[in-house]
């Protein structure tokens, strides 16, 4: 609950940094493990956001206990069902 509250509180910070929202996923076998897939207006803004001191402070405030894995990915194509 703590980290989600911080996530919601910082919508304006992400939006100002170029975030276009995202999707929150949780590991079924380990509910404490989460994945967030963010969309950004530009790759430069995404990189700048995740290397900023602000994000480090926000993650600490949210109770993040491990260094998160951050990947910058691009959708190549949709795969048929």
């Amino acid at each position: 609950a703590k980290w989600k509250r911080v996530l919601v509180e910082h919508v304006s910070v992400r939006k100002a940094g170029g975030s276009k929202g995202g999707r929150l996923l949780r590991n079924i076998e380990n509910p404490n493990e989460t994945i967030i897939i963010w969309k950004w207006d530009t790759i430069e803004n995404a990189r700048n956001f995740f290397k900023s001191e602000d994000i480090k402070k926000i993650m600490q405030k949210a109770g993040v206990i491990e260094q998160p894995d951050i990947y910058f990915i691009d959708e190549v194509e949709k795969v048929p069902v």
Side-chain angles (χ1 to χ4, degrees):
K2 179 181 178 181
W3 68 265
K4 184 132 187 235
R5 184 176 58 251
V6 173
L7 183 75
V8 171
E9 288 173 358
H10 290 89
V11 168
S12 61
V13 174
R14 288 190 306 277
K15 192 172 183 180
S19 173
K20 299 296 183 184
R23 297 181 63 113
L24 173 61
L25 305 149
R26 180 172 50 192
N27 184 336
I28 291 171
E29 295 176 5
N30 179 2
N32 290 323
E33 183 178 51
T34 58
I35 298 170
I36 304 175
I37 301 174
W38 297 107
K39 279 190 156 187
W40 292 87
D41 57 354
T42 68
I43 187 64
E44 293 82 15
N45 283 341
R47 288 183 193 277
N48 288 336
F49 182 83
F50 286 102
K51 69 180 178 185
S52 74
E53 287 300 315
D54 285 341
I55 190 63
K56 292 174 188 170
K57 291 176 187 173
I58 291 168
M59 286 191 291
Q60 184 178 20
K61 180 180 177 182
V64 175
I65 57 175
E66 295 180 18
Q67 177 65 32
D69 295 322
I70 299 174
Y71 301 95
F72 297 97
I73 58 175
D74 192 17
E75 183 176 336
V76 176
E77 64 183 85
K78 294 196 184 294
V79 178
V81 176

